[in-house]
Amino acid sequence: MESLLQKIYSNDEFIQMIDDLLNNDTVKQMKNFRQHYETSCFDHCLIASYYCYGKKFNLDYVSCARAAMLHDLFLYDWRKKQDDRKGLHAFTHPKTAYENASKLFDLNEKEKDIILKHMWPVTIALPKYKESYLLTLVDKYCALNESYQEIHNRFCQKKLFRYAYVFLCVLFIRL
């Protein structure tokens, strides 16, 4: 992940586009919260934003990348019960992120929809824009990638699992 972050920070055009977000004190607070395993909420959003920045999709990459940087601006540890939070994190955090982002930045309609609907289909309401669907897919990809790395590392540390993996590989090869 470090090499990806280096690549992101070396892309001057991308960094300039979201510079006001990156330098906002509230957005910086996302560095204090873990998103998936060892990935901070800030890094998760930055990586998702970078993937949404792709100009080749012929979409509004500026709105998509900016909304992606703010899509998890909820500023709490979602693994711990919050007395003031009604409902499960997966269902409630898009609205929390949207409310926090709206207080700090002037969001356009597309950015609002992207943030509010990034958990589709969990949150049921259909995204209105292609860019909203893009972040939905990118967010799931990032979550799986961040989780896979940690699960894979833990799996490889256990001898029994390594032997079982080798055994299964040999078994499938023989089939």
Side-chain angles (χ1 to χ4, degrees), residues 71-88:
H71 81 276
D72 282 339
L73 185 63
F74 47 79
L75 304 177
Y76 57 81
D77 184 351
W78 62 268
R79 291 163 188 79
K80 295 179 182 173
K81 181 167 175 32
Q82 309 289 316
D83 292 331
D84 60 338
R85 191 174 72 221
K86 294 176 175 77
L88 296 173

Side-chain angles (χ1 to χ4, degrees), residues 38-175:
E38 298 306 315
T39 305
S40 73
C41 193
F42 183 91
D43 286 345
H44 166 77
C45 288
L46 180 61
I47 292 167
S49 177
Y50 185 70
Y51 287 141
C52 287
Y53 169 67
K55 295 178 180 179
K56 62 185 167 201
F57 299 123
N58 199 26
L59 300 174
D60 181 358
Y61 63 89
V62 174
S63 292
C64 195
R66 290 181 62 82
M69 188 63 216
L70 302 170
H71 81 276
D72 282 339
L73 185 63
F74 47 79
L75 304 177
Y76 57 81
D77 184 351
W78 62 268
R79 291 163 188 79
K80 295 179 182 173
K81 181 167 175 32
Q82 309 289 316
D83 292 331
D84 60 338
R85 191 174 72 221
K86 294 176 175 77
L88 296 173
H89 171 76
F91 297 97
T92 61
H93 84 271
K95 185 176 180 193
T96 303
Y98 164 74
E99 289 169 354
N100 290 339
S102 293
K103 291 174 190 171
L104 300 170
F105 305 101
D106 185 26
L107 303 174
N108 64 37
E109 289 304 310
K110 199 172 283 188
E111 291 167 339
K112 292 174 187 177
D113 190 72
I114 293 167
I115 295 169
L116 283 168
K117 313 253 179 87
H118 80 270
M119 285 300 291
W120 180 81
V122 174
T123 52
I124 300 175
L126 283 171
K128 191 173 180 181
Y129 303 99
K130 293 175 187 175
E131 292 82 357
S132 303
Y133 285 101
L134 177 60
L135 178 60
T136 297
L137 295 172
V138 164
D139 188 41
K140 282 24 166 207
Y141 170 78
C142 289
L144 288 171
N145 192 44
E146 293 159 12
S147 301
Y148 168 79
Q149 294 299 329
E150 186 64 27
I151 292 167
H152 182 265
N153 291 343
R154 289 182 185 183
F155 181 79
C156 290
Q157 290 173 354
K158 308 232 185 265
K159 269 188 179 179
L160 177 64
F161 290 123
R162 282 198 308 251
Y163 291 129
Y165 178 74
V166 170
F167 173 76
L168 288 172
C169 287
V170 170
L171 183 65
F172 284 119
I173 290 171
R174 300 195 89 199
L175 295 176

Side-chain angles (χ1 to χ4, degrees), residues 4-23 42 46 49-50 53 65-66 69:
L4 176 57
L5 289 172
Q6 288 173 350
K7 180 180 178 181
I8 291 170
Y9 281 110
S10 68
N11 187 324
D12 292 334
E13 182 182 354
F14 171 71
I15 294 298
Q16 283 180 347
M17 188 178 63
I18 62 167
D19 189 57
D20 61 318
L21 308 179
L22 297 177
N23 289 307
F42 183 91
L46 180 61
S49 177
Y50 185 70
Y53 169 67
R66 290 181 62 82
M69 188 63 216

